[in-house]
Amino acid sequence: MTKMLVIAPYEGLGELFEEAANELEMDIDVRVGNLYKGLMIAKSLESEGYDVVISRGATARVIKEKIHLPVVELQISGYDILRTLRLIQGYTGKVGVMSFFNIVKGAESVGLLLGIDVQSFLINSEEDIKPTIYQAKAQGIDLIIGDVITTNVAKHHGINSMLITSGKEAVFDAIERAKELVYYLDKEKKIKNSYHAVVEKSKAGIIIVDQDANCIEINEQAAKFLDVDRSEMLNQQLVDDFPFINFKKVMHSHKEESYQSVLIGDHVLDIEKFPIFHHGHLQGAAIILRKSNEVMMNGNGKNFSAMYRPVLQFSHLVVHSEQMKKVVSASKQISQSNLPVLIIGEKGTGKTAIAQAIHLESKRRNKPFYLLNCQDYSEEELETLLFGKSMNNSNIFEIVNGGTICFDNIAAIPYHLQDKLAEQLEKKKIIFFEEEVEFDIRILVTTCENLAEQVDKGELSPKLYNTIHSYTLKLPPLRKRKEDMEDLIRSFIATVNAKLGKQIAGLSDEVLHELYEYDWPGNVAQLEKVVQQMCLASDGPFIVMDDVISIIKGLKTKPNENNGIHVSLDNKTLDELVNEIILKVIEDEEYNQSKAAKRLGINRSTLWRKLKTLK
């Protein structure tokens, strides 16, 4: 029987291949990894006895160039394009399709049939994507549809994006073509590059370069140590950004080098470098990075240097209602200043999203962003974070210097520390062992509470309140911006399609009416969870009332907040209880089926079969 390896560029495609493997009873190993991450997975498994590799788009093309196994490229079909364009039908912005020739032409044809004005942007290689994105942005395009790489780059540059997801018919076609390819090639497996698996599994960071000092291999651990994207490191020289990883000297001298306790970014590492020879000829060099015994952490063992990385820009937000237009307009203006900003709104209204967008719109966009939920820390930990207590402690004002700190639940800071924090913010200085250290930090504060009332209750220091209360943004609840709901729903469906391999193209008018009639006390966050639940309960292509009637009824009866997994036993069969538990666990695990299956004590295949039967 043909042994296949599938490298799915996105999670939902992997789910479809898992489904196909179960139905066909075939030996198909499915892994998820886009572009160079997918390449590294393929390389690490190349010697594991696979007959053929299946992948999609740019990931398939990259894998073809770098491994010796035959590679079948899953084709994006007309059905896939039709489903995606049907989902965006009614979208009010300017839409562009950006991909290779066959996809662009297919989208043009389907767009004409559906009466959707789609502007085409043709790319021929990966290098074309960024300049083409700039071109689209200049032409006012605010939604790009395409494959994984184009949509990811579009999102990175502030343009909304929607992935053209593959359907089941394309998956079965790719499997059949793979079987035919293996049959006709009838080639033996080549046992090669077994070192890839060792590199990937190593707890040490490993980097390998060729004789020109270009990176040809970098494992996940090395990327974590250097805080870099592995795909961006490949085929690049590391000399400028990382002087201790300069390979030229070791290749020139043909001698090994080692360094102890070198601080690189936030890690203290021991470094070994050595040249690589083959039949007496220099082929390149390798470096091994290991954690030093001298670990620089704070006193309670938490590493506070791991920043929250904001990704949401203003262009990613759904802004059709007049209330949100005013909020975004004011946010863009205030982002250019250094004033503290107080962001007020009910839970789930998107306060953190606005905070991210303000940071990314500001001149501090390339500096750290630290989201500090003050309720998550003890008094001792907060004192360490904010002021430092010993020579070994980390202080966030030093770590985030030049960037932005977003305080959530600021009144949870012990009262006796609040005035001290206010004084530190006003002076922009840390007094650290009788030494004054200056810092430059932008302060944002998100809250569901009325801070003035907390001052009156003695929960918040008046001095701290006056320090942070310079400019206020008030976010409207979802019930007052229902004009935004349809685009929000469309975005949430697209996300579920990409994660779970669904092909949902929209909601029936009856279901949409019910959602519009609801008040949404949990706001946008609650709407997202409900749409995710509906997608799970529906086989598509449209979510209809019969599939989601229990979810609609549950909106009016179940509590909006859950601490843990709560299930009502009233008038339910055992099967209904099991299904409800599965839905709640997978929602609690943020729709990661591997984690949900592990928590439920079942394998992924069993979970997939149970999800298939949910209504």
Side-chain angles (χ1 to χ4, degrees):
M1 182 178 288
T2 304
K3 186 177 180 183
M4 299 183 184
L5 171 65
V6 172
I7 306 295
Y10 62 95
E11 190 175 351
L13 184 57
E15 298 296 337
L16 280 183
F17 272 102
E18 293 272 12
E19 178 180 337
N22 279 292
E23 289 187 21
L24 297 173
E25 296 183 351
M26 290 186 63
D27 186 7
I28 301 177
D29 186 5
V30 181
R31 306 296 177 96
V32 178
N34 181 37
L35 209 58
Y36 293 104
K37 180 178 180 181
L39 171 62
M40 294 301 291
I41 294 171
K43 281 188 173 184
S44 70
L45 297 173
E46 189 173 7
S47 61
E48 298 298 317
Y50 295 100
D51 299 303
V52 64
V53 177
I54 302 175
S55 192
R56 190 184 104 152
T59 304
R61 295 183 182 95
V62 168
I63 293 173
K64 279 182 182 179
E65 294 175 358
K66 298 294 184 181
I67 72 171
H68 294 283
L69 291 173
V71 178
V72 169
E73 182 176 350
L74 182 146
Q75 301 296 322
I76 293 178
S77 70
Y79 294 113
D80 302 329
I81 296 170
L82 176 62
R83 276 189 292 264
T84 304
L85 290 183
R86 179 62 184 82
L87 179 58
I88 67 168
Q89 201 166 26
Y91 182 73
T92 55
K94 293 184 69 175
V95 181
V97 57
M98 184 177 299
S99 194
F100 298 93
F101 179 81
N102 57 330
I103 300 174
V104 167
K105 290 302 177 186
E108 285 180 347
S109 301
V110 175
L112 287 173
L113 291 173
L114 294 177
I116 300 174
D117 184 16
V118 179
Q119 190 166 342
S120 300
F121 296 90
L122 179 65
I123 58 172
N124 296 306
S125 67
E126 185 182 344
E127 289 73 24
D128 294 339
I129 297 175
K130 284 187 180 180
T132 310
I133 289 290
Y134 296 145
Q135 178 188 347
K137 197 168 185 179
Q139 295 179 21
I141 299 295
D142 53 16
L143 174 63
I144 289 290
I145 63 174
D147 56 17
V148 177
I149 184 173
T150 54
T151 53
N152 282 346
V153 176
K155 185 176 182 180
H156 179 73
H157 286 83
I159 302 180
N160 289 306
S161 62
M162 188 174 293
L163 177 67
I164 300 175
T165 55
S166 293
K168 187 183 293 186
E169 63 282 342
V171 167
F172 279 98
D173 174 69
I175 292 172
E176 285 303 311
R177 287 190 290 115
K179 288 166 63 178
E180 290 178 8
L181 178 62
V182 172
Y183 174 79
Y184 285 113
L185 288 175
D186 192 23
K187 61 191 291 186
E188 295 183 356
K189 298 297 177 182
K190 295 183 179 179
I191 303 173
K192 187 179 180 182
N193 298 329
S194 58
Y195 71 90
H196 292 300
V198 177
V199 168
E200 281 304 302
K201 293 177 182 178
S202 173
K203 292 183 180 180
I206 299 175
I207 303 171
I208 302 173
V209 300
D210 62 19
Q211 55 189 327
D212 295 319
N214 293 312
C215 178
I216 58 175
E217 289 289 349
I218 175 170
N219 70 353
E220 187 68 34
Q221 189 61 56
K224 287 179 180 178
F225 283 151
L226 301 181
D227 192 21
V228 295
D229 186 327
R230 293 167 70 181
S231 64
E232 293 180 358
M233 297 288 282
L234 288 171
N235 302 316
Q236 299 296 320
Q237 289 193 338
L238 313 181
V239 177
D240 295 336
D241 293 332
F242 307 101
F244 275 97
I245 305 177
N246 187 328
F247 286 92
K248 290 185 177 180
K249 182 180 177 182
V250 72
M251 287 194 289
H252 178 73
S253 66
H254 293 186
K255 294 180 179 179
E256 296 182 8
E257 295 180 359
S258 63
Y259 302 90
Q260 302 295 316
S261 301
V262 175
L263 180 62
I264 296 181
D266 301 314
H267 300 280
V268 184
L269 305 174
D270 294 337
I271 300 175
E272 295 179 53
K273 293 187 284 187
F274 52 89
I276 298 174
F277 293 93
H278 182 66
H279 296 309
H281 297 286
L282 181 70
Q283 299 296 307
I287 188 168
I288 298 177
L289 308 171
R290 294 187 178 89
K291 284 187 177 181
S292 174
N293 290 330
E294 298 180 23
V295 181
M296 293 185 180
M297 300 182 76
N298 62 14
N300 57 24
K302 288 188 177 179
N303 183 357
F304 292 132
S305 60
M307 304 299 165
Y308 178 76
R309 297 188 180 279
V311 295
L312 290 175
Q313 303 177 39
F314 285 117
S315 56
H316 294 143
L317 305 178
V318 174
V319 185
H320 293 310
S321 64
E322 288 303 317
Q323 295 94 327
M324 279 303 293
K325 285 179 180 177
K326 290 178 182 178
V327 168
V328 169
S329 176
S331 299
K332 286 182 177 180
Q333 291 181 8
I334 198 63
S335 67
Q336 302 307 307
S337 78
N338 287 315
L339 290 175
V341 179
L342 182 60
I343 306 172
I344 302 174
E346 295 178 11
K347 187 170 184 178
T349 49
K351 299 182 291 297
T352 302
I354 290 291
Q356 291 183 55
I358 289 174
H359 174 78
L360 290 176
E361 187 80 4
S362 74
K363 295 177 182 178
R364 302 173 185 267
R365 65 181 66 89
N366 295 320
K367 297 294 185 179
F369 178 91
Y370 198 108
L371 179 61
L372 178 62
N373 187 338
C374 301
Q375 286 185 335
D376 291 344
Y377 296 91
S378 67
E379 178 179 335
E380 182 181 4
E381 289 172 340
L382 282 170
E383 190 168 6
T384 296
L385 272 170
L386 299 173
F387 313 110
K389 290 172 62 181
S390 72
M391 292 298 291
N392 294 323
N393 291 139
S394 299
N395 181 294
I396 62 170
F397 291 95
E398 294 177 290
I399 296 170
V400 191
N401 193 17
T404 302
I405 298 178
C406 180
F407 287 91
D408 191 26
N409 298 304
I410 196 167
I413 297 173
Y415 196 90
H416 69 279
L417 296 178
Q418 292 180 16
D419 282 349
K420 185 177 179 181
L421 174 60
E423 185 176 350
Q424 187 164 285
L425 292 176
E426 290 172 359
K427 291 183 177 180
K428 297 185 178 180
K429 292 180 181 179
I430 311 165
I431 301 175
F432 197 63
F433 288 94
E434 300 182 354
E435 176 187 359
E436 287 189 348
V437 179
E438 295 185 354
F439 63 83
D440 174 25
I441 299 287
R442 173 73 177 277
I443 299 298
L444 306 177
V445 177
T446 58
T447 181
C448 302
E449 307 292 337
N450 185 322
L451 295 189
E453 289 183 0
Q454 288 187 303
V455 171
D456 293 339
K457 293 176 183 178
E459 297 172 354
L460 184 67
S461 151
K463 187 173 183 179
L464 181 57
Y465 176 71
N466 291 330
T467 300
I468 62 177
H469 189 220
S470 179
Y471 189 90
T472 301
L473 291 169
K474 189 168 184 179
L475 272 60
L478 183 57
R479 59 185 173 274
K480 292 185 179 180
R481 49 174 292 212
K482 289 193 175 180
E483 304 98 306
D484 296 331
M485 278 184 58
E486 196 161 350
D487 273 352
L488 287 167
I489 291 168
R490 182 181 290 113
S491 173
F492 299 151
I493 290 174
T495 299
V496 174
N497 283 346
K499 279 189 173 183
L500 300 182
K502 292 279 188 176
Q503 289 99 49
I504 307 295
L507 308 175
S508 70
D509 291 341
E510 187 181 9
V511 174
L512 193 60
H513 174 76
E514 290 290 338
L515 297 185
Y516 270 103
E517 288 296 305
Y518 188 58
D519 276 345
W520 300 107
N523 295 293
V524 177
Q526 185 190 12
L527 175 64
E528 181 176 16
K529 286 187 176 182
V530 168
V531 171
Q532 289 169 339
Q533 289 174 343
M534 287 181 169
C535 289
L536 276 173
S538 174
D539 288 329
F542 286 92
I543 296 173
V544 296
M545 185 61 73
D546 286 347
D547 291 335
V548 299
I549 185 67
S550 62
I551 297 172
I552 295 293
K553 289 180 179 178
L555 284 174
K556 301 172 184 177
T557 58
K558 70 179 182 180
N560 295 316
E561 298 295 330
N562 284 317
N563 295 316
I565 301 298
H566 298 295
V567 178
S568 170
L569 301 177
D570 296 340
N571 300 319
K572 291 179 181 174
T573 67
L574 178 60
D575 285 342
E576 288 173 334
L577 289 171
V578 169
N579 289 345
E580 187 172 348
I581 290 170
I582 289 172
L583 284 173
K584 288 183 180 292
V585 169
I586 196 167
E587 179 185 324
D588 201 45
E589 295 296 344
E590 298 180 345
Y591 299 87
N592 184 311
Q593 293 194 32
S594 295
K595 290 182 179 179
K598 184 177 181 180
R599 184 168 167 185
L600 290 164
I602 58 179
N603 59 42
R604 275 173 56 105
S605 297
T606 302
L607 176 60
W608 169 80
R609 285 193 294 271
K610 288 186 177 294
L611 288 173
K612 188 76 174 169
T613 64
L614 292 182
K615 290 290 183 184

